[in-house]
Amino acid sequence: MRQCLNERQRDFVSLAEKVAPALTERAAQHDRDNVFPHDNYADLREAGLMRLTVPETLGGLGAEQGEMLLVLERLAQADGATALAYAMHVAPLGSWAAVWRQTGNPMLEQVLGIAGKDGLVLAAISSEIGVSNLFLDARTKADRVPGGFLINGRKNFATNSAVATHCATTAQYDDPELGPRLFVVFVDMSDPAVTVHQTWDTLGMRATQSNDVVFQDLFVPEQAVVQSVPIGHFDAEILETIICWQAPSFGAVYTGVAAAGLEWTIERIRRRGLTRDTRIQDAIAECEMLLEVNRSVLARHAQEFVSRRLVEQLGVQEGLARCAFVKNTCTNNAVAIYRRLVDVLGGAAYTRTQPFERLWRDVQAGLIMPISNHMAQELIGATALGVAVRPVAGADGPALATTGSAG
């Protein structure tokens, strides 16, 4: 089903349309070779899309969250791996732009200004083996030294590490007065204390090249600690500046991957003259409805976020539960769409000479990305029953700033 978009939304999607054919053409080769799509990023940069969520006054296109989600969906229809990697750049910039508009933070203005000149590629690197990816803890350690901290640890699933100039990452710091804290720090990826290890060899989303990253005695100046929250707590700032952007971004990408598989299947059905088969019509109808549910959920989330209703009217845990609902509705529906399409396609779904097989593999990654199904069900169920899952750290607003009191 075609989407009903306003003129501004159509303008943003048209930018994605311009680069989509080249991304589609290269997708199979990048997947087969297990390499990062540097050529796709060059096209995104030339189209201005690397500056999509940077404010216009700082050189960007000024897209808000809902407009970004539409672009992510369209890019994912062309190449899910490129879109997923790109989301790790464009969503953090969108978050920082939203905070900058509220606070005028000078550090964020500087970073966004560099991004507005295409001088910055971001990576969000927080995942660690054995650690929940809800920004509750980290095994990576921060130790105080004069002027800042030394960071030591290993991260996995470091999407964009193959191309990023900078990353935002997490580390635990044992504050002598405040107790254990989780830092979010801004890191220059060119620092010799940062090493990317080639570990990525997966079922799908292969071109993201989400390799391991090791920090060994990495010095981070105190002003590069952009957030500091208590360990083991849900946090209002983390919800607003990270999870509220991360969850729908993942949802939009996998919605796009699902839309690509559905479009390819419909075209094949038409070529085979099977459009009047009622069993096929039933399967396609179910897939169309699941896809439209995803789009509706994403649109509502963006509206509630931009209006600030999500962060101002809901508690932190309920806000996290809402984000978990968005991400998992979209990713589970995307997987369900492929399950139905396999019934329609039969053996054509299984051959590597056709794009469907790659798309089918790519969509599975959505199930293991944060927020996981298990965590989502715990959050949604406990919240509905009025049960606190974790203590909550409050916040007056999105501070994301240099921290004179980080430790």
Side-chain angles (χ1 to χ4, degrees):
M1 298 173 69
R2 290 182 294 176
Q3 298 187 72
C4 297
L5 306 178
N6 61 39
E7 184 177 357
R8 180 177 164 89
Q9 290 170 332
R10 288 196 300 271
D11 287 343
F12 283 118
V13 173
S14 70
L15 294 176
E17 293 280 1
K18 291 178 181 178
V19 301
L23 269 58
T24 300
E25 183 179 351
R26 299 169 185 149
Q29 190 68 46
H30 290 142
D31 173 78
R32 188 178 305 113
D33 294 344
N34 196 31
V35 295
F36 190 83
H38 292 280
D39 42 7
N40 290 348
Y41 264 45
D43 288 350
L44 292 171
R45 185 174 292 105
E46 185 176 350
L49 286 167
M50 298 301 288
R51 299 177 280 111
L52 178 70
T53 52
V54 175
E56 292 179 275
T57 54
L58 298 178
L61 303 184
E64 292 189 342
Q65 187 181 97
E67 294 152 351
M68 178 197 74
L69 296 177
L70 291 170
V71 169
L72 287 176
E73 180 186 335
R74 181 61 190 93
L75 292 175
Q77 286 181 256
D79 180 10
T82 295
L84 183 58
Y86 171 68
M88 304 294 193
H89 164 81
V90 75
L93 285 177
S95 168
W96 292 357
V99 174
W100 176 76
R101 290 187 183 102
Q102 294 178 51
T103 66
N105 179 284
M107 186 193 75
L108 290 182
E109 182 172 337
Q110 180 182 5
V111 172
L112 290 166
I114 296 170
K117 297 176 183 176
D118 283 329
L120 181 77
V121 179
L122 277 177
I125 303 176
S126 61
S127 178
E128 297 182 18
I129 295 173
V131 175
S132 166
N133 213 343
L134 272 180
F135 296 86
L136 298 170
D137 200 355
R139 291 182 175 178
T140 298
K141 298 293 185 180
D143 295 301
R144 179 171 280 286
V145 293
F149 303 87
L150 285 182
I151 306 296
N152 284 279
R154 187 183 189 105
K155 303 290 185 177
N156 63 349
F157 297 126
T159 304
N160 260 0
S161 56
V163 70
T165 61
H166 295 78
C167 79
T169 192
T170 54
Q172 182 183 143
Y173 172 62
D174 291 325
D175 189 295
E177 297 181 0
L178 300 176
R181 308 287 292 183
L182 182 71
F183 283 175
V184 178
V185 299
F186 189 58
V187 171
D188 185 340
M189 290 290 286
S190 68
D191 193 301
V194 180
T195 306
V196 178
H197 291 267
Q198 189 75 28
T199 55
W200 192 247
D201 188 10
T202 52
L203 173 71
M205 289 295 182
R206 290 165 59 77
T208 65
Q209 284 300 291
S210 303
N211 292 295
D212 288 11
V213 173
V214 172
F215 306 114
Q216 186 170 1
D217 289 336
L218 170 68
F219 176 72
V220 173
E222 188 158 353
Q223 61 267 27
V225 180
V226 294
Q227 285 173 291
S228 172
V229 301
I231 291 287
H233 287 61
F234 290 146
D235 183 80
E237 289 181 13
I238 295 293
L239 169 64
E240 181 171 355
T241 61
I242 299 178
I243 308 296
C244 276
W245 287 84
Q246 180 189 75
S249 296
F250 294 162
V253 168
Y254 289 98
T255 297
V257 176
L262 178 57
E263 182 180 2
W264 188 84
T265 302
I266 289 173
E267 181 57 32
R268 188 175 181 88
I269 289 167
R270 287 172 175 161
R271 291 200 310 267
R272 294 171 63 188
L274 299 175
T275 57
R276 295 186 181 278
D277 186 315
T278 55
R279 292 172 298 178
I280 289 177
Q281 289 177 352
D282 180 72
I284 296 302
E286 182 179 346
C287 293
E288 289 279 3
M289 288 188 286
L290 289 170
L291 197 63
E292 289 305 306
V293 167
N294 281 13
R295 288 168 174 164
S296 297
V297 165
L298 290 167
R300 185 187 74 168
H301 178 94
Q303 291 167 358
E304 291 182 342
F305 177 78
V306 171
S307 69
R308 298 192 57 78
R309 295 196 302 274
L310 194 154
V311 295
E312 292 181 353
Q313 294 184 13
L314 304 180
V316 173
Q317 182 174 311
E318 188 171 355
L320 286 167
R322 183 70 69 92
C323 291
F325 163 76
V326 170
K327 182 268 174 180
N328 283 279
T329 295
C330 292
T331 53
N332 285 309
N333 282 355
V335 171
I337 286 170
Y338 274 86
R339 179 64 189 86
R340 287 296 276 140
L341 294 179
V342 168
D343 291 337
V344 172
L345 291 168
Y350 209 60
T351 174
R352 298 194 72 180
T353 62
Q354 303 295 334
F356 188 92
E357 181 267 350
R358 170 179 48 81
L359 295 167
W360 191 11
R361 285 187 286 108
D362 280 350
V363 83
Q364 308 305 319
L367 299 177
I368 63 171
M369 296 187 71
I371 302 169
S372 69
N373 280 332
H374 176 76
M375 178 61 76
Q377 289 167 344
E378 180 184 16
L379 276 169
I380 294 168
T383 301
L385 293 168
V387 176
V389 177
R390 297 283 192 282
V392 172
D396 296 328
L400 199 67
T402 57
T403 70
S405 58

